[in-house]
Amino acid sequence: MTETTTQPSAELRTLDRLVGTWTVTGGAEGTVRYEWMPGRFFLLQHVELTQFGEPATGLEVIGNLRPFGEPAGADVVSRFYDSTGNTLDYVYELADDTLTIWGGAKGSPAYYRGTFSSDGTTVDGEWVYPGGGGYPSTMTRS
């Protein structure tokens, strides 16, 4: 008999600070909205942005992987699905006021790192890509 996880992980619960609607400015412009699925094991991000002059619309599902019959994984991971057919994987970590989102695996050279303001109404940071790419990005709670 396998043990059933009855509570979302502490690492996932830290992302409760993201719940709500945010206006995004910087290298991508628009709106993102975070909400919990019932049970709070998965956080959904609804994305409506314009980036490089193109619409970037999609849905991201964020949580701990728990394959059938196995315990939940330690990392908070996500998969983003967009309106052009892309699927992108990320790993989330929120430590104190610093949010890090790695593109692909934890520790990847492609990542976002942002800092929550003391009142929690903004997250100011930057996407960093290997080879010197990237862009600043600020989210402001709407």
Side-chain angles (χ1 to χ4, degrees):
M1 181 175 200
T2 57
E3 185 177 320
T4 302
T5 302
T6 59
Q7 296 294 319
S9 72
E11 293 79 12
L12 179 61
R13 290 192 311 262
T14 66
L15 298 182
D16 193 56
R17 294 172 76 179
L18 292 170
V19 171
T21 301
W22 300 80
T23 300
V24 178
T25 57
E29 307 272 333
T31 304
V32 297
R33 180 174 50 88
Y34 291 89
E35 66 178 339
W36 289 110
M37 280 183 59
R40 298 174 62 100
F41 284 95
F42 296 99
L43 183 63
L44 304 178
Q45 180 185 196
H46 304 269
V47 175
E48 293 183 25
L49 301 172
T50 300
Q51 185 176 28
F52 310 120
E54 297 293 323
T57 302
L59 174 69
E60 184 174 22
V61 180
I62 305 163
N64 297 92
L65 292 179
R66 187 171 52 176
F68 184 74
E70 297 181 26
D75 289 337
V76 175
V77 300
S78 76
R79 176 155 287 169
F80 176 75
Y81 304 88
D82 76 15
S83 58
T84 62
N86 293 307
T87 57
L88 305 171
D89 294 331
Y90 298 95
V91 177
Y92 277 69
E93 182 177 68
L94 180 57
D96 297 319
D97 289 330
T98 302
L99 174 65
T100 304
I101 306 169
W102 284 279
K106 191 172 186 175
S108 166
Y111 63 90
Y112 169 83
R113 184 158 293 131
T115 304
F116 277 86
S117 62
S118 60
D119 63 2
T121 61
T122 62
V123 182
D124 191 36
E126 182 175 359
W127 281 98
V128 175
Y129 299 137
Y135 59 88
S137 181
T138 298
M139 294 193 320
T140 304
R141 195 175 293 278
S142 300

